[in-house]
Amino acid sequence: MLRAAGVGVGDEVVVPAFGNVEVAEAVTLAGALPVFADIDPLTYCLDPDAVEVAVTSRTAAVVAVHRFGRQADIRRLHALGQRHGMLVLEQGESEAPYDEIAQRRERAAYLDTKLKGVRTPDGGDGHTYQQYVVRVPGNGRPDRDAFARAIRSRGVDCRVPVKTPVHRLPDFRRYVSLPQTEQAADETLALPVDATLTKREMQRIVSACNALGGLLQPAF
């Protein structure tokens, strides 16, 4: 899409650093330079205010990546694109059938009300819960990894959604301030919320997480 739009050598493309490296690689393959902007801490998608700060006279496009079942603020990004004459592209997630989304939302609602000691995801804007991502804030240090090991030992199949932000990878290293991106990479953990989970499995997730709640800051 970038090449078809004429984006190439000498152009810059604003992309998120929180997520997969493929977006930055696509920009490089088109001959352009990826420029990283920070994320909104609730949606984990590009923050339009941060994008505006990153825009220069060479910026040709913005790639908004929808994350975990939440949508980027496309309306504001398109307005920004019109103001600066930039192309706004979207990378979406695979869509699940409606009944599966409804079941995920049901399980997410259960976790929202039962989990303690972690910050549960914001469910606004039609969240489809492709992943149920909580924050494990820790007490002055990242406790997320220890927390993940502990609940895995109790039979909970959790995963770290973004281990290293793209701007910290060797091929794309940038000395840029992205505090929300880096904090999210340190604190986020995806818990199971699949439509196939039984009530007993959901109770196991809650029991395993809440058993560690005393080691963490209170949920926000």
Side-chain angles (χ1 to χ4, degrees), residues 8-166:
V9 177
D11 292 327
E12 295 177 351
V13 179
V14 180
V15 299
F18 185 76
N20 300 330
V21 71
E22 286 85 352
V23 176
E25 288 176 336
V27 173
T28 301
L29 287 172
L33 177 70
V35 173
F36 300 107
D38 214 351
I39 58 169
D40 180 299
L42 295 181
T43 66
Y44 301 106
C45 303
L46 278 176
D47 179 353
D49 291 333
V51 171
E52 185 142 34
V53 171
V55 169
T56 72
S57 60
R58 296 183 295 278
T59 306
V62 177
V63 180
V65 181
H66 305 306
R67 184 73 61 198
F68 306 145
R70 285 294 301 268
Q71 298 285 304
D73 193 339
I74 291 300
R75 182 185 61 80
R76 286 188 62 198
L77 289 173
H78 275 300
L80 187 60
Q82 290 177 347
R83 249 190 344 266
H84 293 279
M86 303 180 303
L87 179 68
V88 177
L89 299 175
E90 301 177 52
Q91 185 188 52
E93 299 174 299
S94 57
E95 293 187 8
Y98 177 79
D99 58 343
E100 183 176 329
I101 292 172
Q103 289 175 317
R104 284 182 189 167
R105 285 174 173 160
E106 182 180 299
R107 285 156 178 74
Y110 175 83
L111 294 177
D112 286 346
T113 60
K114 299 292 186 181
L115 287 174
K116 299 174 183 177
V118 298
R119 196 185 319 170
T120 55
D122 179 84
D125 297 338
H127 202 322
T128 60
Y129 295 99
Q130 297 280 2
Q131 296 188 58
Y132 185 88
V133 177
V134 300
R135 298 271 194 141
V136 184
N139 291 317
R141 60 185 174 79
D143 280 345
R144 187 268 320 278
D145 293 340
F147 185 93
R149 287 193 295 272
I151 65 171
R152 285 188 192 115
S153 73
R154 292 166 167 83
V156 177
D157 185 21
C158 63
R159 59 181 294 272
V160 175
V162 177
K163 294 182 179 179
T164 305
V166 181

